[in-house]
Structure formats: structure tokens, C-alpha cells
Amino acid sequence: MKWVRDPALLPIVEKVEAGERLSFDEGMVLYRTPDIPSLMRLANLVRERKHGQDTYFVHSLRFSQTNICYVGCTFCAFQRRFGEEGAWDWEVDEAIEWVRSKYQPGLTEIHISSGHHPKKPFSYYLELVAALKKNFPGVQVKAWTAAEIHHFSKIAKMGYREVLTALKEAGLDAMPGGGAEIFAERVRRQIARAKVRAEGWLEVHRIAHELGIPTNATMLYGHIETLEERLDHMTRLRELQDESLAKGAKGFMSFIPLAFQPDGNRLADQLGKHEFTTGLDDLRNLAVARVYLDNIPHIKGYWATLTPEVSQVSLDWGVTDVDGTLIEERIVHAAGSPTPQGLTKEALAAFIQAAGRTPIERDAVYNVVKVWAPPAPLMSHQRAMLSRPSSRG
């Protein structure tokens, strides 16, 4: 293999080309190799083997019915206390009116994540899902992280299975992957001490998969974790996905690395730093995930944290999904993300086409909504114009 410069990669390349799974130690070789072009080529090989040139996105509204939260994660700039400036806390009818004011034709997904509210009863969340399904028929509700499901189980004094069954009967279609942060207990004690532990997060997703609720998985990286702890996180996801697929479940639909955003939170102040991940760190992380997580269909290049430009480049580093229009995204923007709070479908499709890939508009559970035109040969100046999406969705 003339294209491989790092001899340590040679046995790994042979295994990947043969469709064999990598060990933990081989995953660490990917994190440490100086041979960046070969890593990119390897991730792209896996990407194109799974999905060819197809690249997915969804027309999605981000919705948080409150930002009241008692958990106090040190990396979060979104949470507020009662009475604090910038706090909101909507009843069901107020939430429906807000969604109605933001609704756009063709919307297929309402993505809900919020705080751990100390006073709202579990019945509130069932009423909210049911009201969203009634008022916006045809729109799928992808709602609440495993951390929030753990919170619901405490306030309702119900097990995870009972909570998820009730939410599914109320209309829940899928779950986002947040709340995972980093599974390593050392890190979790420092950044998310009061949040559900890793075992609880995984158990919520295990039960969701058994109940036929597809989910996603995230990893918040670029703060105090080690590379070994990143790969340990992926290993636990890979093991659970094996288990879910063996039971005939859909399991995790995608893995979404989230680059840490340092503004307005205690963690960045405690560390005394304002610059964290680099573009190369982000791309390497995506490539390692694509090669290592052989049983999860999609790796997301989440443009809200990566920027649209890096997300566009990531399509050559194993990424097959850029998330979506993200109308009104608030959580990562509260922590200083400089990206727009939403892009139009046309802007997303254009930046995918400009990267030489075919845009596939999907719904929350990866049913195909529309196949956009494949990329056409472009003059260099046209490619440059299309590579800078700026329209808000």
C-alpha cells in the first residue's frame, strides 16, 4: 500500500479493507498516527462503503420548553435558576404557540432538549408530546436525552421502561443522544457530577432500543478528557449497539461528536483556557469514530459546533450526516458557538453538493424525504461561492 506512510497503520488498513473490527489498541493508533492523509483515506473508504456519495440532513426545529435546571454541569451555559435573567418556563399551551410561530412548511422533526426542571410533574411531558403530535400532525418528535429520562424516572417514581413506554404511547418517535458527555467516571465527576452516570445513560438507551425507539449517541470532547477516555466512550457505545442489533432493534442511528464550546461556563474558567479543539482535532476525531464504530450507520459532522466550513470538509473524513436546518438552536450558541442559529435546506444542500456529495433530505428516523440533485461539475469560483452558506433557516 504505497499510500500509507505510517507503518503502524499497515495492519489496520488491511483489517479495515477486509471488513474486520479494530481493537482498542488499534483505535489508539488511529488517534496517535502522524499520517493524517492515510487516516482520512481510511475513514472515507468506510464512509463510501456504507453510503456511497449520499449525505443526509433533516429539516428540524430545535425546541426547549424551559432552561430551568438544577443539575449544574460545569460545561453548560444554557441552564438558569428560577428568577434568573434569561430564564423561561413554558406551560404546554405556551410551548405550542412558540412552535407554531417557528413552524416552516416541510418540517419533519421537532427536536426537544431542555433542563432538569425540579417542579414539573411527569404528566407535563406526556401532555406536551401529545399536544405536539395533535397540533403538528406528520412531524416527528425526537425528544429528551437519557439524562432527562433518568430525571423523569425520579420525579415519577417509575422505572426507565415505564417512563419510555408512556412517552412512546404519547407520541415519542425517537430520542436524541445528549447527556452522554464522556462516560469515564473521572471526567463525569468533574463536569457533570449531578447528572445520570454512564451506566444509567446506557441502560436508558438499551431499554429504548428494546421498545423500538431509535436513538442517537453523542460525545462531548475537547475539555479535560484523555484520548483513551474518548475511545472508551466509543467502545461502550459499540458494545451496546452490538447487543441491540442482536435483539433485532434499530439501535443507534448516528454518533455525534460535540466539540466543547468554552464561552459562558465555569469549566473553561476553571481550566483558564479559551481555545480548545482545532479543526484537525475535530476531523481526526470524526475519522477515528467512522473507522472504529463499525456498527453505527452514520457519523454526524454537527455544523453548529464545527462550523459549516469544517463540517463540509468532514464529508471526506467519514461523515455522512450534517444534522439539519436546526431552526432556533440555543444550547451550543449559549456557550459561544459563532455559527448561525439555523440554515435553510437550500444552503445545506448546496454545501453538500459543493463537496462533491449527493444531499439526501431525511426525517428523524432516516426515512428518505427527498433526494436532491447530485453534484454537478463546477468551475472553481462557483465552488467557492457555494461553500459559504450564511442564510438563516
Side-chain angles (χ1 to χ4, degrees):
M1 282 167 276
K2 294 181 180 178
W3 52 275
V4 177
R5 301 175 188 170
D6 179 4
L9 285 180
L10 285 171
I12 294 175
V13 172
E14 289 178 359
K15 288 184 75 171
V16 173
E17 288 184 336
E20 298 174 16
R21 171 166 289 184
L22 299 187
S23 67
F24 186 92
D25 289 343
E26 289 166 335
M28 289 309 302
V29 171
L30 297 182
Y31 262 128
R32 290 173 174 146
T33 181
D35 189 354
I36 299 299
S38 296
L39 175 62
M40 179 184 71
R41 184 165 177 165
L42 200 58
N44 192 55
L45 183 155
V46 178
R47 177 235 203 269
E48 295 192 354
R49 180 189 290 161
K50 287 182 176 291
H51 298 288
Q53 302 303 314
D54 293 348
T55 301
Y56 292 77
F57 71 93
V58 64
H59 193 20
S60 172
L61 173 67
R62 291 301 173 102
F63 166 56
S64 302
Q65 79 282 354
T66 186
N67 58 354
I68 300 291
C69 185
Y70 67 82
V71 172
C73 298
T74 60
F75 59 84
C76 182
F78 175 76
Q79 62 193 333
R80 293 291 185 277
R81 304 284 183 180
F82 286 111
E84 190 175 353
E85 183 179 357
W88 72 85
D89 184 14
W90 294 330
E91 296 303 321
V92 170
D93 57 344
E94 295 172 306
I96 295 299
E97 286 312 304
W98 185 89
V99 172
R100 197 184 307 284
S101 73
K102 304 296 180 184
Y103 183 86
Q104 294 181 4
L107 194 75
T108 54
E109 175 189 280
I110 296 175
H111 175 139
I112 308 177
S113 56
S114 57
H116 291 45
H117 194 291
K119 295 184 178 178
K120 285 279 195 303
F122 180 51
S123 58
Y124 167 85
Y125 302 95
L126 298 175
E127 292 169 13
L128 181 55
V129 173
L132 288 168
K133 298 294 285 189
K134 178 182 177 182
N135 284 273
F136 307 100
V139 176
Q140 295 165 325
V141 176
K142 186 176 78 182
W144 296 306
T145 67
E148 290 165 293
I149 299 298
H150 175 77
H151 168 67
F152 297 164
S153 77
K154 291 197 297 184
I155 61 175
K157 295 182 171 53
M158 296 163 61
Y160 295 156
R161 189 176 297 274
E162 295 170 277
V163 167
L164 288 166
T165 299
L167 287 169
K168 184 178 181 184
E169 289 174 352
L172 181 72
D173 294 291
M175 281 175 56
E181 323 315 353
I182 289 284
F183 289 147
E185 186 63 19
R186 179 194 74 85
V187 179
R188 225 168 170 80
R189 281 199 303 270
Q190 294 186 57
I191 68 170
R193 180 181 293 273
K195 187 173 276 183
V196 62
R197 297 178 68 177
E199 293 74 15
W201 189 98
L202 291 163
E203 181 65 11
V204 168
H205 283 263
R206 177 180 289 109
I207 293 172
H209 296 171
E210 290 173 358
L211 293 173
I213 303 171
T215 73
N216 294 321
T218 62
M219 177 177 75
L220 181 69
Y221 70 99
H223 39 88
I224 63 171
E225 86 288 354
T226 65
L227 295 179
E228 287 80 0
E229 287 165 339
R230 290 188 197 180
L231 201 62
D232 167 72
H233 187 98
M234 293 186 204
T235 301
R236 298 198 213 188
L237 293 175
R238 193 170 74 173
E239 291 171 352
L240 177 54
Q241 183 76 337
D242 277 345
E243 184 183 325
S244 295
L245 294 178
K247 295 175 183 174
K250 189 168 186 175
F252 295 117
M253 300 177 289
S254 68
F255 175 64
I256 313 151
L258 300 172
F260 173 62
Q261 306 293 311
D263 288 354
N265 58 64
R266 286 180 287 145
L267 181 57
D269 290 340
Q270 290 168 1
L271 297 174
K273 295 168 63 178
H274 297 286
E275 300 293 335
F276 289 85
T277 68
T278 65
L280 185 58
D281 187 21
D282 295 330
L283 293 170
R284 180 194 289 269
N285 199 58
L286 290 163
V288 173
R290 179 59 288 165
V291 177
Y292 192 74
L293 292 173
D294 57 351
N295 56 2
I296 294 182
H298 294 280
I299 305 297
K300 272 191 194 179
Y302 187 52
W303 65 260
T305 56
L306 296 176
T307 74
E309 289 81 2
V310 173
S311 182
Q312 184 184 45
V313 173
S314 75
L315 302 186
D316 288 335
W317 292 73
V319 164
T320 49
D321 192 305
V322 295
D323 204 296
T325 50
L326 305 185
I327 306 166
E328 295 290 330
E329 200 293 320
R330 300 187 190 202
I331 294 177
V332 301
H333 287 87
S337 173
T339 60
Q341 280 186 288
L343 294 172
T344 65
K345 292 193 294 183
E346 290 74 18
L348 278 170
F351 98 60
I352 292 169
Q353 290 164 331
R357 311 288 184 172
T358 302
I360 308 292
E361 186 179 343
R362 62 169 175 84
D363 64 12
V365 295
Y366 284 85
N367 294 310
V368 174
V369 174
K370 176 182 175 181
V371 178
W372 289 63
L378 296 174
M379 301 296 289
S380 58
H381 71 283
Q382 292 174 303
R383 186 179 295 274
M385 290 173 64
L386 287 172
S387 66
R388 296 183 180 279
S390 58
S391 302
R392 289 171 181 263

